[in-house]
């Protein structure tokens, strides 16, 4: 039977740590390390933590029960794992560009903390023939066959559906990463924002009434910060300096 629906859930995986990649690492080792992070991101999406309640029904389900509900309703979940360079995880890549001969094998859960019954079932379903593969390749064939002399996009740079989709997907990923960086930069330059770190939160609770927002586009060289320094000096002495 065909699936009634296919859902997608985006997960941005962390970059490789300095302990994973060294200056002596080969390009193949770097690629394999990135792939392992992408696969781990897919595993986590199949095994959500905690429990979730529906306020309208009062029913509470664990993460694995929720995945089981999706399976029982003849639906599938495809994680959209993306790393910091825009590389896609094997399952979403298979859906867009893969072939039936190159379908990824289900993840090995033998040593994983995400080895939950429905997570394993959903992983197998996502790798099965029930989920389409290479939809952009199929779209290209159909478009070229029916529109041999027309561009799919607005110019020759987006002449076919596959190129158009890859351009827009890459732009969306770039915009999302840029948004994360911009929000983090804004938080760092706004003293009124609460820190995630307990030490800084305690310090902010003392200094916040004296702090003035800083406009990063303004020349700070002629501004007198002596009052702010005096109000914070006694609190900074109680914390170890960074090394």
């Amino acid at each position: 039977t065909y699936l009634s629906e296919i859902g997608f859930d985006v997960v941005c995986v962390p970059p490789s740590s300095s302990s994973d990649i060294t200056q002596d690492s080969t390009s193949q080792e770097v690629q394999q390390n990135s792939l392992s992070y992408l696969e781990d991101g897919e595993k986590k999406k199949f095994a959500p933590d905690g429990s979730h309640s529906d306020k309208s029904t009062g029913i509470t389900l664990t993460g694995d029960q929720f995945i089981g509900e999706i399976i029982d309703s003849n639906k599938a979940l495809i994680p959209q794992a993306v790393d910091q360079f825009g590389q896609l995880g094997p399952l979403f890549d298979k859906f867009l560009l893969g072939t039936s001969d190159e379908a990824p094998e289900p993840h090995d859960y033998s040593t994983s903390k995400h080895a939950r019954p429905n997570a394993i079932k959903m992983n197998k379903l996502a790798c099965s023939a029930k989920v389409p593969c290479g939809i952009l390749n199929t779209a290209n064939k159909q478009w070229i066959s029916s529109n041999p002399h027309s561009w799919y996009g607005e110019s020759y740079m987006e002449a076919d559906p596959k190129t158009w989709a890859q351009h827009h997907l890459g732009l969306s990923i770039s915009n999302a990463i840029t948004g994360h960086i911009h929000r983090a930069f804004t938080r760092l330059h706004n003293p009124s924002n609460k820190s995630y770190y307990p030490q800084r939160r305690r310090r902010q609770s003392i200094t916040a009434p004296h702090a003035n927002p800083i406009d990063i586009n303004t020349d700070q060289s002629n501004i007198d910060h002596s009052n702010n320094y005096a109000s914070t000096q006694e609190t900074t002495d109680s914390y170890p300096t960074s090394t």
Side-chain angles (χ1 to χ4, degrees), residues 178-194 200 204 213-217:
T178 302
H180 280 297
I181 296 173
H182 182 266
R183 285 190 293 273
F185 187 81
T186 302
R187 285 186 67 92
L188 288 172
H189 288 80
N190 188 348
S192 64
N193 280 333
K194 291 183 178 180
R200 291 193 61 189
Q204 286 175 334
I214 298 174
D215 184 354
I216 61 174
N217 298 314

Side-chain angles (χ1 to χ4, degrees), residues 40-212:
D40 191 52
E42 292 179 342
K43 287 183 182 180
K44 291 179 180 178
K45 279 299 177 183
F46 288 135
D49 293 323
S51 58
H52 306 273
S53 299
D54 187 333
K55 294 182 179 179
S56 61
T57 62
I59 297 175
T60 300
L61 298 176
T62 65
D64 197 56
Q65 288 174 329
F66 182 75
I67 295 296
E69 289 284 317
I70 298 176
I71 297 173
D72 292 340
S73 58
N74 196 34
K75 300 174 183 178
L77 172 67
I78 307 297
Q80 289 179 271
V82 184
D83 68 9
Q84 76 273 27
F85 300 116
Q87 182 177 346
L88 303 177
L91 290 176
F92 189 52
D93 185 73
K94 169 224 172 188
F95 178 76
L96 295 179
L97 304 168
T99 65
S100 57
D101 297 331
E102 301 171 345
E105 293 292 326
H107 298 309
D108 181 11
Y109 281 89
S110 59
T111 60
S112 173
K113 64 179 180 180
H114 303 291
R116 300 169 188 168
N118 289 318
I120 297 174
K121 289 180 182 179
M122 181 62 82
N123 188 186
K124 290 181 178 179
L125 177 60
C127 295
S128 72
K130 287 189 173 183
V131 175
C133 61
I135 63 169
L136 295 183
N137 298 329
T138 302
N140 259 21
K141 291 179 182 179
Q142 293 180 351
W143 174 263
I144 294 173
S145 174
S146 57
N147 302 274
H149 306 296
S150 300
W151 294 333
Y152 183 81
E154 296 181 355
S155 73
Y156 72 94
M157 299 183 69
E158 296 178 340
D160 54 69
K162 180 178 178 179
T163 306
W164 178 91
Q166 288 177 314
H167 283 185
H168 283 264
L169 179 61
L171 179 61
S172 297
I173 293 172
S174 298
N175 285 340
I177 293 175
T178 302
H180 280 297
I181 296 173
H182 182 266
R183 285 190 293 273
F185 187 81
T186 302
R187 285 186 67 92
L188 288 172
H189 288 80
N190 188 348
S192 64
N193 280 333
K194 291 183 178 180
S195 172
Y196 289 110
Y197 302 99
Q199 271 195 348
R200 291 193 61 189
R201 283 203 298 269
R202 288 197 298 271
R203 179 179 172 183
Q204 286 175 334
S205 66
I206 299 173
T207 62
H210 306 282
N212 296 318

